[in-house]
Amino acid sequence: MTTRPFRFGVVAGNAPGGEAWTTLARRAERLGYATLLIPDTLGTLAPFPALAAAAAVTTTLRLGTYVLSAPNRTPGQVAWEANTLRTLSDGRFELGLGAGRPGAEADTSRLGLLHGTPSERVSRLAETIDAVEGVPILIAAAGPRVLRLAALKADIVTLAMPVQASEDQLAAKLDELYELAGDRFPQLEINANLAAVGEDLPPWLLRRIGGEPRGTGILTGSVEEMAETLRKRRDRLGVSYVSINADYMEAFAPVVERLTGT
């Protein structure tokens, strides 16, 4: 489906201190990861200052939000912050945006802001995209309105699917995106996130997925088996940009080394 080369990102949100955070960023760069990605929750580090700190100690690592919740900031504020981080990182910043994950209204309320209806949040997302210039835009999409927006405006699309979603379910969602994007579809880079890799999965994740390591959000097997799964997934679905939970950054590094740029 795509000849786009593989690249890989690390999703991290916390560290006990500045040295630990910058060490993680430098280590991700040395291991060959393309991006350091940070969520947008009140339980994690604030995205923009954390990414600025990572930018200061790296040279090739790209930095991204994964993803900003549109109700948490005004479009003008996002544009200001994004432009600043683009400048400080010498153009290495990628802006990930979404309309708000399930449960995100608690964070919005604590910030003293209105979460809004689904329609209002999508409108805010569209306004934010239009306010930002000069950075690649990643959109996290699930519902039809955000999928349509991603088809029209995104550079990178990540599909907001549950960990246990099958390849067929992911393919069906990508078919929707294909129909909406039309001739623009080949320009889109498709991202998928891995919550865990390998055989030693955390108990909380096993409980969440029903006790068995299944779904496109989990990758098991040897290094070659995992690499082959990702090759086949790219051939079938076009997923060339793969992000992974930072807890598995070291374990997944051999796959990154094997596939990056191929």
Side-chain angles (χ1 to χ4, degrees):
M1 176 176 282
T2 181
T3 56
R4 192 183 292 271
F6 279 109
R7 68 173 182 143
F8 296 89
V10 172
V11 182
N14 278 307
E19 183 176 354
W21 177 252
T22 54
T23 295
L24 185 151
R26 287 192 294 261
R27 182 60 177 161
E29 184 174 67
R30 285 197 295 270
L31 290 173
Y33 288 92
T35 51
L36 175 63
L37 303 163
I38 188 167
D40 184 26
T41 79
L42 293 189
T44 54
L45 298 171
F48 287 109
L51 292 178
V57 298
T58 56
T59 56
T60 61
L61 188 70
R62 300 184 67 81
L63 302 313
T65 51
Y66 200 75
V67 297
L68 291 188
S69 181
N72 288 1
R73 300 164 188 81
T74 66
Q77 181 183 4
V78 174
W80 180 29
E81 299 273 13
N83 186 58
T84 298
L85 191 47
R86 179 189 62 184
T87 299
L88 295 179
S89 67
D90 295 319
R92 289 183 283 140
F93 178 55
E94 300 176 2
L95 178 63
L97 295 166
R101 72 192 189 286
E105 60 271 18
D107 283 357
T108 312
S109 177
R110 286 177 60 193
L111 290 169
L113 302 170
L114 294 176
H115 196 62
T117 66
S119 178
E120 289 169 340
R121 296 198 304 274
V122 175
S123 294
R124 171 64 69 90
L125 175 59
E127 292 167 7
T128 302
I129 294 167
D130 289 341
V132 176
E133 297 180 358
V135 298
I137 299 291
L138 177 149
I139 296 178
R145 287 193 63 190
V146 181
L147 272 174
R148 186 174 296 109
L149 192 59
L152 293 172
K153 302 282 189 178
D155 300 292
I156 310 159
V157 179
T158 187
L159 299 176
M161 305 284 286
V163 170
Q164 63 268 37
S166 67
E167 284 205 357
D168 287 343
Q169 289 172 316
L170 185 57
K173 190 64 68 174
L174 282 166
D175 285 343
E176 291 181 49
L177 180 63
Y178 177 83
E179 292 299 323
L180 291 166
D183 292 342
R184 194 170 180 273
F185 187 80
Q187 301 173 36
L188 301 177
E189 184 177 32
I190 306 301
N191 165 261
N193 187 58
L194 296 174
V197 300
E199 308 299 335
D200 187 19
L201 302 181
W204 67 264
L205 182 57
L206 288 172
R207 289 194 298 270
R208 179 177 167 186
I209 60 177
E212 295 183 10
R214 58 188 175 87
T216 53
I218 297 172
L219 193 62
T220 60
S222 67
V223 169
E224 183 51 48
E225 287 169 339
M226 289 190 287
E228 184 61 19
T229 296
L230 293 178
R231 290 188 195 101
K232 290 179 178 178
R233 194 168 291 171
R234 183 181 61 177
D235 291 344
R236 181 189 178 195
L237 304 177
V239 176
S240 60
Y241 178 22
V242 179
S243 52
I244 184 167
N245 183 321
D247 289 343
Y248 299 91
M249 180 175 73
E250 299 285 345
F252 195 62
V255 178
V256 172
E257 181 179 12
R258 187 162 300 199
L259 291 182
T260 292
T262 65

